[in-house]
Amino acid sequence: MHTPLAYLRQKLGNLPCADALEAYHAWWETTGRGLSETVDRAGTPWLRQRNRLGERVDEILAPEGYSTLVQEGYKHGAVWRVIEDGDWQGSFALGYITSYYDPGLYCPHTVSLSTAVPLSKYGSPLLKERYLPKMLRRDGEAWQGATWMTESGGGSDLGANVKTVAVPDGDAYRLTGEKYFCSNVNAELAVVAARPQGAPEGVRGLALFLVPRYREDGSLNYFIRRIKDKIGTRAVITGEVDLQESVGYLLGSAEAGVYLILEVLNISRVANSVGSVALLQRAIDEAEAFARGRVAFGKPLIEHPLMHRQFTRWRNALDAAFALAWESVRLLSEVGMQTPPYSPRYHLFRLITHLAKYWTAEQAAQAAKWCMEVHGGAGVLAEFGVERLLREAMVLPIWEGGSHRQMLDALEVMQRRGAHTLLLEHLASHADPAELQAWRERLEAYLQQPAEVQEAELETLIPPLAEWVGECLL
Ligand SMILES: Cc1cc2nc3c(=O)[nH]c(=O)nc-3n(C[C@H](O)[C@H](O)[C@H](O)COP(=O)(O)OP(=O)(O)OC[C@H]3O[C@@H](n4cnc5c(N)ncnc54)[C@H](O)[C@@H]3O)c2cc1C
């Protein structure tokens, strides 16, 4: 039987936190699936901005069971495992199970982790004492985090488009600006990109701030302007936020802000890769279940040579995508607590993560489309459940930096840090020596071309490179 747990067992052998994974998987089968369907069917939640007295409350009315759905992952350790035990692999294995059943739900867990990690690395002792224990609760009341960088001008070019300004105020700052895409907008804490007053233009002038939802007197620290009405990912509530002299606490130093922002994004990119592979598996499993039961021309669909060949190809693609994504998890477990200046291992992690984010998301989107096609007309009917996979998959190549951004960032880390050399060294014990040599020559020749050609031709380089790296790591 194909299940996410069985697949993890097959790929990883000894599972990290095996008992928790088994319990979490069982919960999904008995309870989570139903809650997830309800939340998806209910559509966009309602924002009640004012109470009966007309006072601003910004309350989000989510479907019944939403909180149970979100909190189960925290109970099992989506966040506390990393912060308390350093068990990144356990957290990402839980994320794999979450995403198999509900890819959108992995976003709240991810952005909470991407908040807790910089808080634990860069927060002052007072901040950590005040907020971390709340994020690590295991009783179904864990505080959630969120990561808000993007503003209305666009998310790829944060240096040009982040207009939020942070003005010093005692030992804190006051942030004013508008955040256009705010996932997990119902969270109690957010890490927010803003420009300290007087800081230079561009990405180097940005810093990372911890912004609580409520001020110490219990009043709202920022305002939710509206909830986004999205194609899918309804298990994460995405909104727009107005920061109006909102209290924020600087994390780390303002000068290193851009690195902290990238660290946050890189954690989310690893999670996006793991979630994409889980969706890929789900699409193949759903397609297979249908193709075994549906008979055409006298035999089950799966026994027809053309269909059979497609299944073999997708299962191979799944294994390579998993190997690539899990390598970025392994490397993150090594380098996730590093601070700038980073080791070469961190640059290797970055290259593998850009390749993984790009490749797995593209594969997931294609697999979701193919899964619908295998179902024929039934694929477009909501009652078969696979149209949802397509709705969920479409965002995977976009958020956390789109596919163009991943290719461009992969190029940058090769050009500036020689990460391709580190990659080839890393693969030396896995790869066929002739292939390794061919890639060395290809990459070196590629990087000799004029800068504009290197950018323009990335689609001839990155997809085959990502696929090859995944296959080497099998
Ligand atoms: C459902 C959802 C939830 C989100 N949640 C959050 C969140 O919680 N926090 C947050 O900060 N952001 C969030 N985002 C924003 C997301 O990170 C951005 O959508 C993403 O970074 C791309 O930015 P953009 O949409 O503004 O596109 P743009 O930056 O305007 O880019 C448009 C297109 O141009 C491409 N492009 C950009 N630069 C180049 C280039 N140099 N060369 C070639 N192509 C290029 C992009 O890849 C993209 O295809 C969310 C987005 C969605 C859809």
Side-chain angles (χ1 to χ4, degrees):
M1 196 174 93
H2 299 301
T3 67
L5 186 63
Y7 188 71
L8 284 173
R9 217 179 252 128
Q10 182 196 328
K11 289 287 131 190
L12 300 178
N14 281 338
L15 285 180
C17 63
D19 292 349
L21 290 174
E22 273 169 32
Y24 189 48
H25 183 255
W27 176 85
W28 270 104
E29 284 297 328
T30 55
T31 312
R33 267 180 187 269
L35 289 177
S36 167
E37 269 169 36
T38 305
V39 168
D40 180 55
R41 275 301 176 114
T44 305
W46 187 39
L47 171 65
R48 182 158 60 198
Q49 282 187 324
R50 294 182 186 274
N51 67 12
R52 288 189 219 167
L53 300 174
E55 295 157 340
R56 196 75 192 253
V57 287
D58 288 3
E59 196 182 334
I60 293 166
L61 303 177
E64 207 180 329
Y66 177 68
S67 173
T68 310
L69 184 68
V70 176
Q71 286 288 334
E72 195 68 17
Y74 297 121
K75 282 193 205 168
H76 284 90
V79 176
W80 63 254
R81 265 178 210 285
V82 174
I83 306 298
E84 289 183 352
D85 300 349
D87 182 10
W88 295 83
Q89 296 202 33
S91 169
F92 284 99
L94 287 164
Y96 190 86
I97 293 178
T98 304
S99 301
Y100 184 90
Y101 293 105
D102 190 331
L105 183 65
Y106 193 24
C107 177
H109 297 165
T110 297
V111 290
S112 293
L113 181 62
S114 299
T115 303
V117 170
L119 172 59
S120 79
K121 282 172 78 170
Y122 300 108
S124 67
L126 190 68
L127 279 187
K128 286 197 265 196
E129 192 188 333
R130 193 185 296 166
Y131 296 120
L132 257 187
K134 293 189 162 77
M135 297 198 78
L136 306 181
R137 287 173 68 156
R138 306 176 186 193
D139 59 356
E141 301 285 335
W143 277 33
Q144 297 197 72
T147 60
W148 301 338
M149 317 294 172
T150 308
E151 300 189 6
S152 61
S156 307
D157 186 2
L158 290 178
N161 293 323
V162 171
K163 307 289 184 205
T164 298
V165 173
V167 179
D169 181 19
D171 55 3
Y173 284 76
R174 296 279 177 172
L175 275 64
T176 301
E178 301 168 355
K179 291 288 169 186
Y180 186 72
F181 272 115
C182 300
S183 285
N184 222 21
V185 71
N186 46 314
E188 288 83 0
L189 293 168
V191 287
V192 172
R195 196 177 303 281
Q197 194 177 36
E201 294 292 299
V203 79
R204 303 230 162 244
L206 298 180
L208 191 68
F209 295 86
L210 184 76
V211 180
R213 178 153 189 208
Y214 297 101
R215 294 187 180 165
E216 282 188 37
D217 65 3
S219 62
L220 289 172
N221 192 28
Y222 50 78
F223 300 100
I224 302 174
R225 194 192 287 169
R226 60 176 172 148
I227 306 285
K228 304 282 197 192
D229 193 8
K230 297 176 291 179
I231 180 175
T233 63
R234 287 170 185 156
V236 56
I237 303 168
T238 306
E240 280 173 36
V241 161
D242 274 335
L243 299 153
Q244 295 179 7
E245 299 199 348
S246 307
V247 177
Y249 304 98
L250 180 67
L251 292 174
S253 71
E255 293 69 37
V258 60
Y259 297 107
L260 272 61
I261 292 168
L262 289 173
E263 284 184 18
V264 166
L265 288 173
N266 285 337
I267 293 173
S268 301
R269 289 165 179 168
V270 176
N272 202 83
S273 310
V274 169
S276 296
V277 180
L279 190 146
L280 179 54
Q281 189 201 338
R282 176 78 184 268
I284 301 170
D285 291 352
E286 293 286 349
E288 186 174 327
F290 186 84
R292 288 196 183 283
R294 183 73 144 203
V295 173
F297 303 100
K299 55 184 178 184
L301 286 175
I302 200 163
E303 291 175 19
H304 289 277
L306 174 58
M307 192 66 96
H308 190 78
R309 173 65 57 87
Q310 288 188 339
F311 272 97
T312 307
R313 206 179 61 227
W314 273 117
R315 289 256 171 233
N316 290 340
L318 170 66
D319 288 344
F322 183 89
L324 183 61
W326 209 259
E327 196 66 2
S328 84
V329 172
R330 277 204 193 96
L331 286 165
L332 179 60
S333 356
E334 277 182 42
V335 303
M337 290 299 166
Q338 282 188 13
T339 54
Y342 303 110
S343 71
R345 202 80 177 155
Y346 190 89
H347 302 306
L348 171 67
F349 155 73
R350 270 192 58 203
L351 176 55
I352 289 193
T353 300
H354 294 311
L355 295 177
K357 200 289 178 173
Y358 167 76
W359 183 245
T360 58
E362 295 291 338
Q363 294 283 294
Q366 289 303 321
K369 170 177 169 284
W370 169 77
C371 174
M372 282 178 78
E373 287 166 10
V374 171
H375 282 73
V380 303
L381 305 178
E383 65 199 296
F384 281 79
V386 295
E387 54 78 44
R388 180 176 172 195
L389 293 182
L390 190 70
R391 288 191 287 108
E392 301 280 349
M394 295 321 291
V395 78
L396 296 170
I398 295 175
W399 63 11
E400 318 303 357
S403 285
H404 307 104
R405 192 69 264 146
Q406 301 312 314
M407 287 194 275
L408 289 163
D409 285 359
L411 177 63
E412 191 243 22
V413 75
M414 290 194 274
Q415 287 169 333
R416 294 192 46 208
R417 307 284 179 181
H420 54 299
T421 310
L422 301 170
L423 177 70
L424 295 171
E425 281 165 12
H426 186 64
L427 294 177
S429 58
H430 302 268
D432 173 78
E435 282 181 15
L436 201 68
Q437 182 57 22
W439 268 107
R440 179 167 289 118
E441 287 165 15
R442 185 170 170 181
L443 285 164
E444 277 163 13
Y446 192 92
L447 295 172
Q448 295 300 316
Q449 299 178 99
E452 202 169 315
V453 176
Q454 290 186 41
E455 265 199 39
E457 296 298 324
L458 275 171
E459 279 178 306
T460 66
L461 183 78
I462 298 297
L465 179 61
E467 193 173 13
W468 176 69
V469 173
E471 281 165 5
C472 285
L473 292 167
L474 274 175

